[in-house]
Amino acid sequence: MKRIFVEEQNFVGKDYSSQRLARGDYEYCQFEDCNFSQSDLSAIQFVECTFTNCDWSNAHLHELGLRDVSFVNCKLLGLQFEHLNPYAFAAEFEDSQLDLSSFHQRSVKGMRFVNCQLREVDFTEADLTGASFDGCDLDRAIFERTKLEKADFRTARNFLIDPEINQVRNARFLQADLARLLSKHQLHIE
């Protein structure tokens, strides 16, 4: 199948859940109110694209490339980010839902999550060095053998991180979250 190249186009209100987005490279494109739910996005490359009010829930991401991509107010439930192209993954997420997604063993250094729901997201063995979780809900998110050095959790909530099994050197937390970091020790901190 021949790949296409699309540059600087706007896609509004398209439904790719029933009709597949053509395989190819999309650069500097805007996608608004589009439905990619359960869509096969394998081997597509998005470069400097913005997705606003889009639904990507349970989409197939095998070898998908996301370079300098922004997701704003999007629904990204149950995505397996570990299947993305390992050499083309740089994204930021704002006001989006990523519940039940997985970043297992992914390098997402410096990634920004702003006001996102990250409930039950799997960050096992991921490299989140310098990542920011500004205003995010991390209820039941999994952090095991995760590299969290210089990550910023100061305005995040509902997270449980065990410093004994994660690399947290120079990570930023509020003093009020000290009890959350030591919860497994059942200490009474007042």
Side-chain angles (χ1 to χ4, degrees), residues 36 41 46 51 55-59 61 64 71 75-76 79:
F36 296 92
L41 299 172
F46 294 108
F51 295 88
D55 185 354
W56 278 51
S57 298
N58 297 309
L61 309 179
L64 171 72
F71 292 94
K75 192 173 180 181
L76 305 137
L79 296 183

Side-chain angles (χ1 to χ4, degrees), residues 4 6 14-15 26 31 34 48 62 64 78 83 101 109 111 123 137 155-156 164 172-173 183 190:
I4 65 167
V6 180
K14 303 288 185 185
D15 186 357
Y26 295 81
F31 294 85
C34 294
E48 295 192 42
H62 184 71
L64 171 72
H83 297 304
S101 292
K109 294 179 181 180
M111 190 166 284
F123 291 110
D137 182 358
T155 60
E164 291 182 13
R172 302 180 82 182
F173 300 95
S183 65
E190 297 178 18

Side-chain angles (χ1 to χ4, degrees), residues 5-46:
F5 178 76
V6 180
E7 186 176 31
E8 296 183 16
Q9 287 195 21
N10 294 330
F11 299 84
V12 180
K14 303 288 185 185
D15 186 357
Y16 299 108
S17 65
S18 55
Q19 183 177 359
R20 181 187 161 95
L21 179 67
R23 277 202 179 134
D25 299 305
Y26 295 81
E27 294 186 6
Y28 310 103
C29 293
Q30 306 285 322
F31 294 85
E32 187 173 345
D33 299 316
C34 294
N35 184 9
F36 296 92
S37 180
Q38 299 186 11
S39 186
D40 184 1
L41 299 172
S42 299
I44 294 174
Q45 302 297 313
F46 294 108

Side-chain angles (χ1 to χ4, degrees), residues 28-147:
Y28 310 103
C29 293
Q30 306 285 322
F31 294 85
E32 187 173 345
D33 299 316
C34 294
N35 184 9
F36 296 92
S37 180
Q38 299 186 11
S39 186
D40 184 1
L41 299 172
S42 299
I44 294 174
Q45 302 297 313
F46 294 108
V47 178
E48 295 192 42
C49 293
T50 301
F51 295 88
T52 306
N53 300 318
C54 293
D55 185 354
W56 278 51
S57 298
N58 297 309
H60 303 281
L61 309 179
H62 184 71
E63 292 299 315
L64 171 72
L66 297 174
R67 289 195 337 233
D68 300 319
V69 171
S70 297
F71 292 94
V72 180
N73 199 35
C74 290
K75 192 173 180 181
L76 305 137
L77 306 177
L79 296 183
Q80 303 298 309
F81 288 99
E82 63 263 23
H83 297 304
L84 289 166
N85 180 331
Y87 305 106
F89 184 38
E92 63 179 36
F93 303 89
E94 183 176 341
D95 298 317
S96 295
Q97 296 177 323
L98 291 97
D99 300 346
L100 302 168
S101 292
S102 176
F103 290 87
H104 183 256
Q105 295 183 331
R106 289 307 316 218
S107 177
V108 288
K109 294 179 181 180
M111 190 166 284
R112 290 185 58 234
F113 298 93
V114 180
N115 298 322
C116 291
Q117 273 186 203
L118 297 156
R119 297 178 184 150
E120 298 184 59
V121 171
D122 184 0
F123 291 110
T124 302
E125 298 178 3
D127 185 349
L128 293 164
T129 300
S132 174
F133 295 92
D134 186 22
C136 293
D137 182 358
L138 291 157
D139 187 37
R140 295 182 308 260
I142 302 167
F143 295 96
E144 291 181 9
R145 298 174 308 283
T146 306
K147 190 171 185 178

Side-chain angles (χ1 to χ4, degrees), residues 163-177:
E164 291 182 13
I165 62 170
N166 294 288
Q167 298 175 35
V168 295
R169 186 177 184 167
N170 293 316
R172 302 180 82 182
F173 300 95
L174 292 177
Q175 186 173 359
D177 291 321

